Amino acid sequence: MNSAQFRVHIEAYLNLRSSLGFQTEYESYHLRALSDYVEAKGFSWPIRTQTILDWIGAAALHCGLPGQRMRLTQARCFLKYLKASVPETEVPGPGLLPRQPRPKPRLYSNGEITKLQQATSQLWKPGSLSQRTPYFIIGLLASTGLRAGEVIALTVDDVRLDSDPPQLHIRKAKFYKSRIVPIHSSTADQLRAYLQERNRVKLRQPSKAFFITGRRLPLSYSALRRMFSQLIQSVGIKNADGKRGPFLHSFRHGFAVQRLLAWYADNRDVRALVPHLSVYLGHLSKEETYWYLTATPELLTAAGEAFRRSCEPGGDS
């Protein structure tokens, strides 16, 4: 096999993935970069595991361990596909790179959430879209546990405020999964108020995006991150260990912990309800949800009390 044939196989693989409904933007970029790399190094067949590791190592200057692991996974998937038609293909093993420990999430208190929302009126003109958009997004993240990317991807049609109960349609989010997320009536009232403001604004170009920037354009993830960074700095919220953050994703952790605490307070069967929480959050399995349930003093106390009750005579075993 030569480099031209190698590129043909890459394009055929990407076309197959695309035809099956997968998003191939990152795969396309990485696999074509792999093709360029091996050609620049003097293409020889079969491509060895060490070549793949060298290619990943060259990318380490501008990406962390998660990005390197993604490159390894994508290269392995392609090479396994190629091996079916070219048996001498060498496929690297899956455990060549270490796993990065997931950091302990920072949980926002109710007081901090209130301060963040209040700070929007200090940083931007009160009542403007520049102020109201981050204000309502913070409330939505805290009350639903949605991913930030899911929030900015919402269209006007996805926000079904007249349904019973009101609900959000999350389309092809992480893992290409779609789901319906019911929301509380108070959350629906807030979104209804935002929608009225949004519809009064003349957009620069037609858009169905639900959340709009102060420049009357659909909100991007980078713009939302900049807004949130400004808010975090203005309020003075920091991680205790001095590390970067906290981040937008921390609202998701907080929502999961608060949901468990509420179930414990109601003396509900938390173990039976966790799978429902997984579905609501858009996880593929309850094991992914368990990581979100970071131990806090309140959660440990509630879990311990539930265990104590179950051990009492006549308690649930």
Side-chain angles (χ1 to χ4, degrees):
M1 179 181 295
N2 56 39
S3 58
Q5 292 170 324
F6 188 65
R7 288 195 296 270
V8 168
H9 282 292
I10 287 177
E11 296 303 322
Y13 171 75
L14 293 172
N15 289 335
L16 174 62
R17 295 274 293 172
S18 180
S19 69
L20 294 173
F22 291 99
Q23 300 291 329
T24 60
E25 178 181 356
Y26 292 112
E27 283 180 298
S28 299
Y29 175 80
H30 292 148
L31 293 179
R32 287 165 183 161
L34 172 61
S35 176
D36 293 341
Y37 178 85
V38 296
E39 186 171 358
K41 292 296 181 179
F43 187 91
S44 61
W45 186 257
I47 294 173
R48 301 297 181 185
T49 295
Q50 187 58 52
T51 303
I52 300 297
L53 291 177
D54 291 343
W55 167 64
I56 293 172
L61 295 175
H62 58 267
C63 74
L65 184 56
Q68 295 172 52
R69 288 180 58 85
M70 179 186 294
R71 284 167 171 78
L72 177 60
T73 298
Q74 292 173 346
R76 291 187 70 251
C77 289
F78 165 65
L79 292 172
K80 285 193 290 184
Y81 154 86
L82 185 57
K83 190 176 180 66
S85 56
V86 186
E88 66 270 22
T89 301
E90 184 173 317
V91 180
L96 296 177
L97 295 177
R99 289 186 175 274
Q100 185 175 37
R102 301 183 81 171
K104 182 179 179 181
R106 167 66 151 76
L107 304 180
Y108 301 111
S109 67
N110 290 334
E112 288 174 332
I113 294 173
T114 299
K115 287 181 180 179
L116 286 168
Q117 288 187 302
Q118 291 173 343
T120 62
S121 295
Q122 299 167 4
L123 293 178
W124 300 286
K125 181 181 178 181
S128 66
L129 271 181
S130 296
Q131 179 263 323
R132 295 179 73 82
T133 294
Y135 178 93
F136 284 104
I137 285 181
I138 289 171
L140 185 59
L141 291 172
S143 62
T144 61
L146 291 176
R147 301 178 179 96
E150 294 172 344
V151 168
I152 63 174
L154 287 170
T155 67
V156 173
D157 292 338
D158 293 333
V159 182
R160 304 170 180 178
L161 302 177
D162 295 328
S163 299
D164 187 18
Q167 55 191 229
L168 307 176
H169 188 180
I170 309 301
R171 301 176 186 272
K172 294 184 178 179
K174 194 173 182 180
F175 311 115
Y176 313 108
K177 302 283 285 186
S178 299
R179 69 189 190 280
I180 299 297
V181 175
I183 57 176
H184 193 269
S185 59
S186 60
T187 302
D189 290 340
Q190 293 294 311
L191 293 179
R192 196 173 286 112
Y194 177 83
L195 183 60
Q196 291 176 350
E197 294 295 326
R198 179 217 181 274
N199 288 341
R200 290 195 185 104
V201 175
K202 184 177 181 180
L203 303 182
R204 290 188 176 185
Q205 56 190 35
S207 174
K208 292 186 177 181
F210 187 81
F211 287 108
I212 303 295
T213 70
R215 299 178 63 189
R216 296 169 291 156
L217 295 170
L219 181 65
S220 67
Y221 188 76
S222 59
L224 177 59
R225 286 184 62 183
R226 286 195 298 271
M227 290 177 185
F228 188 69
S229 178
Q230 290 178 269
L231 289 169
I232 286 290
Q233 292 178 15
S234 68
V235 174
I237 298 176
K238 298 180 180 178
N239 283 336
D241 55 11
K243 294 182 179 179
R244 290 192 312 122
F247 303 107
L248 285 161
H249 209 65
S250 298
F251 288 108
R252 190 165 164 84
H253 296 277
F255 171 82
V257 170
Q258 291 301 319
R259 178 43 38 202
L260 252 73
L261 287 171
W263 284 336
Y264 277 124
D266 293 340
N267 199 24
R268 304 287 297 275
D269 185 350
V270 173
R271 184 172 59 180
L273 289 170
V274 164
H276 296 279
L277 180 59
S278 296
V279 172
Y280 190 90
L281 291 171
H283 287 156
L284 295 180
S285 67
K286 62 182 183 296
E287 285 75 21
E288 296 174 50
T289 306
Y290 282 130
W291 180 71
Y292 279 70
L293 308 180
T294 304
T296 64
E298 297 83 0
L299 186 54
L300 287 174
T301 299
E305 179 62 22
F307 179 75
R308 184 191 63 77
R309 289 196 303 267
S310 70
C311 294
E312 292 178 344
D316 296 331
S317 58

